[in-house]
Amino acid sequence: MTKKPKVVVIGGGSGISVVLRGLKYLPIDLTAIVSVADDGGSSGALRKEFDSPPPGDLRNVLIALSDVEPIIEDVFQYRFEKGTSLGGHPLGNLLILAMHEITGDIGEAMYRLRKLFNIKAKILPACPEKVVLYGEMEDGEIVEGESKIPTKDKKIKRVFFKRNIKAPELNLKELEDADLIVFGIGSLYTSVLPNLILDGIKQALKKNKGKVVYVCNAMQQPGETLGYTAYDHVKALCDVIGNGIIDEVIVDSRAIPQETLDRYKKYQGGRVIVDKEKIEDLGIRVVDRDILEVDSRGMVRHHPYKLAATLYSLIDKWGDFYV
């Protein structure tokens, strides 16, 4: 039986979808662990009304991993007109909510939807319950709610849950057995870190014998990482999971067109500077690759296929696979 490398991607928002969109075509055993801390927009409304984990990030991951992505995207992202009883809700959110109501378990709901749409990769909610994320600002203010944390325009000290929430055993087993674990891309404090502060995650990462990689954001995010360098991103992760866990950080230090940078400056979001030596002082290797592009809207994005190729090249022990 052919053994494929096990790759686990952890994140949320639209960032994790970019990573998965390229990886799904590679001959790997792929798992996505997806944040369920979102409380804004349709997801927030549905989670409040139905006491359910928010479906938005899970919807985006389903779309990204689908073999018929453009068709699924058109259907899943379709929003009913505002002013109606379903106003503002994407169809994909309602489908996930319905399956959750049928099964009574968000993990089982995602398993059935994977089978329904013939998605080979595993999609695992970061935790099976509705959670509330809190942020502590540097000035001591406590902010309740994932969507409200970035609106304060203050430096974030940490994010936390008010009680201990354990990650599912299946998620921990996937992390322990992975040949490659990928953090990011996405909002550092509200998409990536909420997954890592769950009980059991730090221990599972320590037990892992493979490689842990962080894909660093290319641009600063107002409300979360304004003024942050690549080292600052890495340090925030290490403050939660400890030193010696992250093996490599993927960046792209190549020049971005000035007109694009000027456009970002209007929204106070500048380039994330790659301070390679400071990262390497932590014992972490910096992998600098040509993986960025400027899309049709003038936004800086990670190219999903170039990023996937870079990640694939970082897998170790090739003699153990495809034999």
Side-chain angles (χ1 to χ4, degrees):
M1 183 175 181
T2 301
K3 179 186 176 185
K4 297 179 181 178
K6 291 177 65 67
V7 179
V8 178
V9 183
I10 305 177
S14 58
I16 189 174
S17 299
V18 174
V19 181
L20 297 171
R21 190 166 281 120
L23 286 175
K24 71 180 178 183
Y25 293 110
L26 300 178
I28 57 177
D29 181 350
L30 180 60
T31 297
I33 296 179
V34 188
S35 173
V36 289
D38 185 15
D39 64 357
S42 169
S43 285
L46 292 174
R47 103 184 218 148
K48 182 177 180 180
E49 183 174 357
F50 293 92
D51 195 30
S52 167
D57 288 356
L58 295 168
R59 178 190 82 242
N60 288 330
V61 167
L62 275 170
I63 294 169
L65 290 172
S66 171
D67 286 337
V68 285
E69 189 179 328
I71 299 173
I72 291 293
E73 184 165 16
D74 287 344
V75 174
F76 271 42
Q77 301 288 40
Y78 175 78
R79 290 181 184 264
F80 294 91
E81 290 185 12
K82 292 184 177 180
T84 67
S85 58
L86 299 177
H89 292 303
L91 180 58
N93 281 4
L94 299 178
L95 182 60
I96 293 171
L97 178 65
M99 192 62 81
H100 179 246
E101 294 263 296
I102 292 168
T103 62
D105 179 81
I106 192 63
E108 178 65 19
M110 296 310 297
Y111 174 79
R112 294 194 185 186
L113 288 170
R114 276 181 53 218
K115 296 300 181 183
L116 179 62
F117 294 102
N118 194 33
I119 293 173
K120 298 177 179 63
K122 300 183 189 75
I123 303 173
L124 306 179
C127 64
E129 57 187 290
K130 186 176 71 173
V131 296
V132 178
L133 185 70
Y134 291 81
E136 180 182 357
M137 306 294 122
E138 285 285 354
D139 64 1
E141 181 183 4
I142 303 297
V143 182
E144 178 181 346
E146 180 265 357
S147 62
K148 294 183 176 62
I149 292 171
T151 66
K152 295 296 180 176
D153 287 328
K154 296 180 179 180
K155 185 172 176 57
I156 301 170
K157 182 178 180 180
R158 66 180 180 121
V159 290
F160 64 98
F161 301 118
K162 278 199 170 178
R163 59 184 177 84
N164 292 341
I165 301 173
K166 194 174 190 307
E169 289 298 330
L170 177 58
N171 296 22
L172 300 179
K173 185 69 166 60
E174 289 289 326
L175 288 171
E176 290 175 17
D177 295 343
D179 299 295
L180 181 69
I181 298 173
V182 182
F183 300 156
I185 321 160
S187 301
L188 179 62
Y189 287 98
T190 55
S191 288
V192 180
L193 284 175
N195 303 287
L196 303 181
I197 60 177
L198 294 167
D199 284 3
I201 294 294
K202 182 177 179 178
Q203 291 75 16
L205 292 170
K206 286 184 176 180
K207 290 179 182 178
N208 175 265
K209 302 299 183 183
K211 183 180 288 184
V212 178
V213 175
Y214 172 52
V215 184
C216 190
N217 293 341
M219 307 301 292
Q220 300 168 20
Q221 182 178 353
E224 289 208 28
T225 56
L226 197 61
Y228 273 41
T229 66
Y231 169 83
D232 294 325
H233 285 75
V234 174
K235 183 65 167 54
L237 291 167
C238 292
D239 286 345
V240 170
I241 60 175
N243 295 324
I245 299 295
I246 299 174
D247 297 296
E248 299 181 359
V249 175
I250 299 177
V251 299
D252 184 348
S253 64
R254 287 154 189 76
I256 292 174
Q258 188 59 46
E259 61 180 342
T260 300
L261 294 175
D262 291 342
R263 188 179 299 111
Y264 270 88
K265 286 179 182 177
K266 292 181 180 179
Y267 304 98
Q268 297 182 318
R271 178 78 185 269
V272 172
I273 302 302
V274 178
D275 36 3
K276 181 179 178 180
E277 291 184 359
K278 291 185 69 175
I279 296 173
E280 290 177 338
D281 285 343
L282 296 174
I284 298 172
R285 177 174 174 246
V286 177
V287 180
D288 195 342
R289 295 287 186 272
D290 180 7
I291 53 174
L292 295 179
E293 63 177 347
V294 179
D295 67 15
S296 59
R297 297 181 300 161
M299 305 297 288
V300 178
R301 302 296 186 209
H302 284 79
H303 191 290
Y305 305 125
K306 290 182 178 181
L307 177 57
T310 298
L311 290 169
Y312 193 61
S313 72
L314 299 181
I315 297 172
D316 290 332
K317 302 178 183 177
W318 282 106
D320 295 341
F321 309 118
Y322 311 123
V323 293

